[in-house]
Amino acid sequence: MGSSRSRGRPSKGDVIVSVFLLLSLPLMCFGIRSFPVIGENLVQAGEDFLGFVEAPEYRNGVECSNKTIHVAMTLDSEYLRGSIAAIHSVLRHASCPENVFFHIIAAEFDPASPRVLTRIVRNTFPSLSFKVYIFREDTVINLISSSIRVALENPLNYARNYLGEILDPAVDRVIYLDSDVVLVDDIQKLWSINLQNNRVIGAPEYCHANFTKYFTDIFWFDPLMSRVFASKTPCYFNTGVMVMDMVKWRSGSYRQRIENWMELQRKKRIYELGSLPPFLLVFAGNIEPIDHRWNQHGLGGDNVKGSCRSLHSGPVSLLHWSGKGKPWVRLDERRACPLDYLWQPYDLHQHKNRYQALD
């Protein structure tokens, strides 16, 4: 793993930060709105309101090359604490942490503003290599249909659909991570996975899951729509952890393919969840299968009650609190699930010391 040591705040040259202002963005960089949870307090108090402590500085070992690992994540005030913990976990376990470059996609209309969110990241990780993009909601908001949980309708959930337009054209490969994950293994191992047979994305597949439940009877009883899976053996996969070939993504017009299904969903109710089903419709049955250890998902419980879950069988490299329950919320409310304590060591919020005090 990379070594860590604390030091004084580095010069500006040690930090790579760039925020694209709204007017300078290409039109295809569509945007988002975060559903406010702590809104007015953030606007009034800025980054100090959230009180994150500065992370240790993680440095490369002598064996590291200069090859960059590109990671894309979203950032908003509601999930900020999760995003900070996720970044911390990546750096803490990376064999070459200085090689990791974060592409951070911020909400255009977040209560804290992308500028404040950027300062929080910069102050928490002074030596982090990252770039912040503002995701506009102009077009995607009109494609989103209602879901079984309001949080799933947040336009920021759909930012992964637009990575081909958002990221610099020179970025030809990226790991996409949700904000409610922590890594407990070296991200270099995930980065080094080969996408074979001209596949565009790689992710852990779960072929034992009941795939039919992700779509309504309207979809399955329509011979034209359901024909999309006729020549495939589709399996469920979670879009919170994906290795993506951005060259093939762009050349294959996959954003447009996903949007086509979203437009159809607005006319006919063919699924109940949010951003996942369109990905399944386009990619299920044709993804590079990655070991399950890289997405121990569902730890947030179901999408309605957020009940406690156990780990899947087998080794663990990445923990994912997909579902309604988030570990930082449950820890603060003193109703933590057992696995939430595995997230706690990566939390850089100053209130983390409350847990022991309250107990």
Side-chain angles (χ1 to χ4, degrees):
M1 295 189 296
S3 61
S4 69
R5 55 188 173 92
S6 296
R7 68 174 188 180
R9 193 168 304 281
S11 65
K12 293 182 179 178
D14 293 327
V15 186
I16 303 175
V17 181
S18 176
V19 181
F20 282 121
L21 298 177
L22 178 61
L23 295 179
S24 66
L25 287 173
L27 293 178
M28 295 303 294
C29 189
F30 299 117
I32 66 150
R33 178 174 59 229
S34 171
F35 292 92
V37 173
I38 46 181
E40 291 184 0
N41 289 327
L42 270 171
V43 173
Q44 295 169 4
E47 68 266 28
D48 292 334
F49 175 81
L50 291 166
F52 290 97
V53 299
E54 185 176 313
E57 185 181 18
Y58 296 98
R59 309 295 286 180
N60 281 0
V62 295
E63 74 286 353
C64 292
S65 68
N66 59 356
K67 294 183 178 179
T68 302
I69 297 172
H70 295 279
V71 178
M73 297 181 62
T74 58
L75 184 70
D76 67 357
S77 57
E78 183 174 359
Y79 285 84
L80 174 62
R81 196 160 157 194
S83 298
I84 294 293
I87 294 171
H88 186 205
S89 73
V90 170
L91 299 176
R92 182 169 172 177
H93 294 283
S95 57
C96 301
E98 293 180 278
N99 291 2
V100 185
F101 191 101
F102 286 87
H103 301 267
I104 299 175
I105 305 161
E108 179 186 5
F109 297 116
D110 193 274
S113 86
R115 186 184 298 271
V116 169
L117 294 174
T118 300
R119 287 203 301 267
I120 294 172
V121 174
R122 183 176 62 238
N123 292 340
T124 307
F125 303 101
S127 297
L128 187 69
S129 295
F130 73 102
K131 184 174 185 176
V132 176
Y133 308 78
I134 298 177
F135 184 44
R136 298 169 54 196
E137 73 172 349
D138 304 51
T139 300
V140 71
I141 194 69
N142 296 321
L143 292 171
I144 297 173
S145 58
S146 60
S147 185
I148 60 174
R149 186 161 60 92
V150 174
L152 298 178
E153 300 170 23
N154 185 342
L156 192 55
N157 294 333
Y158 295 84
R160 71 199 81 179
N161 300 3
Y162 301 95
L163 290 177
E165 291 76 27
I166 294 174
L167 302 184
D168 296 333
V171 177
D172 57 8
R173 180 182 174 93
V174 71
I175 295 173
Y176 176 83
L177 297 176
D178 270 353
S179 298
D180 51 2
V181 309
V182 294
L183 274 74
V184 293
D185 204 344
D186 187 358
I187 197 168
Q188 174 65 48
K189 298 177 183 177
L190 183 59
W191 180 256
S192 63
I193 290 171
N194 291 321
L195 301 181
Q196 304 180 56
N197 300 321
N198 208 37
R199 288 168 176 153
V200 181
I201 65 172
E205 284 187 308
Y206 300 89
C207 295
H208 62 279
N210 182 4
F211 190 81
T212 60
K213 72 178 183 179
Y214 293 99
F215 304 97
T216 65
D217 289 343
I218 293 174
F219 172 83
W220 290 115
F221 292 156
D222 188 306
L224 293 178
M225 285 192 290
S226 59
R227 191 173 60 184
V228 68
F229 297 125
S231 59
K232 305 177 184 178
T233 303
C235 295
Y236 164 79
F237 66 93
N238 182 280
T239 53
V241 180
M242 295 185 291
V243 179
M244 308 176 69
D245 185 320
M246 300 313 299
V247 175
K248 293 186 177 69
W249 178 281
R250 296 181 182 106
S251 64
S253 301
Y254 286 98
R255 173 193 61 81
Q256 185 61 54
R257 298 188 195 190
I258 291 172
E259 284 186 339
N260 289 341
W261 285 110
M262 293 175 67
E263 289 172 354
L264 185 58
Q265 162 74 353
R266 297 278 290 179
K267 300 173 182 176
K268 301 181 179 180
R269 189 75 174 176
I270 60 176
Y271 53 80
E272 301 295 341
L273 290 173
S275 60
L276 170 64
F279 256 84
L280 296 178
L281 287 162
V282 174
F283 291 108
N286 190 29
I287 70 168
E288 183 69 27
I290 295 176
D291 193 287
H292 290 178
R293 69 187 304 153
W294 287 105
N295 196 349
Q296 287 270 352
H297 68 284
L299 305 187
D302 61 59
N303 277 307
V304 178
K305 297 180 180 179
S307 54
C308 292
R309 295 281 180 87
S310 300
L311 288 175
H312 311 167
S313 60
V316 181
S317 292
L318 183 148
L319 300 160
H320 186 186
W321 277 263
S322 57
K324 183 178 181 180
K326 303 305 173 188
W328 57 93
V329 175
R330 295 194 294 214
L331 284 163
D332 282 358
E333 295 179 353
R334 301 187 67 188
R335 55 181 183 88
C337 293
L339 291 178
D340 294 344
Y341 293 102
L342 299 178
W343 179 89
Q344 185 178 338
Y346 305 97
D347 184 16
L348 292 173
H349 195 277
Q350 289 181 347
H351 288 174
K352 69 177 181 179
N353 295 325
R354 291 192 311 185
Y355 306 143
Q356 291 83 2
L358 288 172
D359 292 338

